[in-house]
Amino acid sequence: MPHTNDKLVREELARLLYLGQQLQATDRRPALDPTDRGQLAFQALLFECLMSRRDRPHPLEQPQKSAMASISGYLNVICHQPRHLEIHTNTAYRIASRLLPFRHENQVVCGIPGLRLINFTDGRVRLIHIPTGARLDLVDWHRWQNKRMASMLFKQETGWHESEGRSPLWLGQDLTDEEAAHHAHWEYTPSTPLRSALLMRSMPLWYRFDLVPAWVSGQGALPDRLVWDAHPKTGHDQVVELLTRSAARIPGAHYRAKTPTSGTLELSDNGAELISSL
């Protein structure tokens, strides 16, 4: 029966993706992925920023720091909402400070160019990405006592954007020329839907499988790659199962194995190599 099947799917999704409370308000199969091109493009970029490591930093990472690369350790839920991406966390203001763009003391742009603050409340930070029109809400498990307390804490978390020669680009309303120069990072490309879909299924990679993956963009003849060190309790096939055969699978995705620890994840006419190695 459809309703029974939908309930089973919701229960399995809640288990796989930590979506318990987010699935309680619907009797239908939840949509895991957006359809808006702008939202997809932003989420694809966000995926790349979060799927980075100290040894494989994203080009928009701070020099000699791991600000965006360490965000995954603060996340509780990543879920699709009808008009925005919602990330539940235990420190929304800190994550915002690591995503909002600023000019580094050596004039490098760090953070996500074009990301701007809409507003913040006692438990939610609302952000918009100007070039794509995409929305991101960071939802904090903690609710501060009042707006004054929330404002003080937000300033504490973002204050370093104005120290040591830095300057916050996110305080301006318009996209600056130096931010616009990074437009290739949010352009809609054949790999955009796959990267966005991987973002929505990232939580079990970090938490259930205890992996530290990194996205490596292809250059020249080299394909895009999602790489991670092999984990004694997580087999390569478990990642493939999640992405292609589970209730949380990427619709239309297929996997072509090359070796027991590598293969190509394909979606439409695009693909990325999945590689686990010692």
Side-chain angles (χ1 to χ4, degrees):
M1 297 178 65
H3 293 299
T4 301
N5 291 337
D6 288 351
K7 180 180 179 181
L8 293 175
V9 169
R10 290 199 309 276
E11 291 175 349
E12 183 63 4
L13 285 174
R15 184 185 72 84
L16 290 172
L17 302 181
Y18 307 92
L19 292 175
Q21 294 182 350
Q22 284 66 43
L23 299 185
Q24 292 178 2
T26 178
D27 292 328
R28 298 173 296 175
R29 294 191 181 207
L32 296 183
D33 302 288
T35 57
D36 178 79
R37 286 174 64 92
Q39 191 72 35
L40 286 166
F42 170 73
Q43 292 185 185
L45 169 56
L46 181 60
F47 168 75
E48 290 189 30
C49 292
L50 299 184
M51 286 288 174
S52 58
R53 302 189 310 223
R54 182 179 294 273
D55 63 324
R56 294 180 182 271
H58 191 273
L60 296 172
E61 183 66 277
Q62 295 182 57
Q64 301 178 339
K65 298 287 184 179
S66 296
M68 293 191 294
S70 62
I71 287 176
S72 63
Y74 296 106
L75 305 185
N76 299 323
V77 174
I78 299 176
C79 61
H80 168 66
Q81 297 293 353
R83 294 180 180 84
H84 65 274
L85 173 67
E86 197 166 275
I87 294 181
H88 292 238
T89 172
N90 55 2
T91 176
Y93 298 166
R94 181 166 301 171
I95 291 177
S97 77
R98 298 184 182 194
L99 293 177
L100 287 166
F102 64 93
R103 185 186 299 108
H104 201 267
E105 56 261 32
N106 59 6
Q107 302 304 306
V108 171
V109 174
C110 303
I112 297 181
L115 192 63
R116 296 293 187 268
L117 175 69
I118 298 176
N119 57 43
F120 61 87
T121 65
D122 61 346
R124 183 181 294 259
V125 180
R126 295 183 174 89
L127 304 169
I128 186 168
H129 188 239
I130 296 174
T132 61
R135 281 280 314 280
L136 168 64
D137 280 17
L138 303 173
V139 183
D140 204 305
W141 70 273
H142 188 86
R143 298 297 184 266
W144 305 112
Q145 295 178 353
N146 51 55
K147 179 71 174 182
R148 181 181 177 183
M149 176 66 74
S151 179
M152 182 187 71
L153 291 170
F154 186 82
K155 289 180 179 179
Q156 286 180 353
E157 290 290 357
T158 58
W160 58 273
H161 286 191
E162 301 181 73
S163 64
E164 300 180 3
R166 305 183 189 99
S167 56
L169 297 170
W170 54 271
L171 291 176
Q173 295 298 312
D174 300 321
L175 187 71
T176 66
D177 290 342
E178 57 194 324
E179 290 177 287
H182 295 277
H183 63 90
H185 286 295
W186 61 78
E187 284 184 344
Y188 192 98
T189 70
S191 73
T192 294
L194 177 59
R195 285 179 286 138
S196 177
L198 286 169
L199 172 70
M200 306 310 295
R201 295 154 181 84
S202 294
M203 288 296 294
L205 300 184
W206 292 315
Y207 287 83
R208 186 175 305 282
F209 298 153
D210 198 23
L211 303 176
V212 187
W215 178 262
V216 183
S217 297
Q219 295 182 354
L222 294 176
D224 293 333
R225 289 164 287 159
L226 184 64
V227 302
W228 64 89
D229 294 334
H231 194 283
K233 295 183 180 180
T234 300
H236 191 86
D237 56 336
Q238 289 178 271
V239 177
V240 174
E241 170 75 20
L242 170 77
L243 299 176
T244 63
R245 297 188 294 273
S246 73
R249 64 186 176 274
I250 301 172
H254 302 279
Y255 182 75
R256 290 191 298 106
K258 294 182 180 180
T259 72
T261 58
S262 68
T264 302
L265 180 65
E266 299 175 334
L267 181 64
S268 298
D269 296 326
N270 189 260
E273 289 191 352
L274 304 182
I275 303 173
S276 57
S277 60
L278 296 174

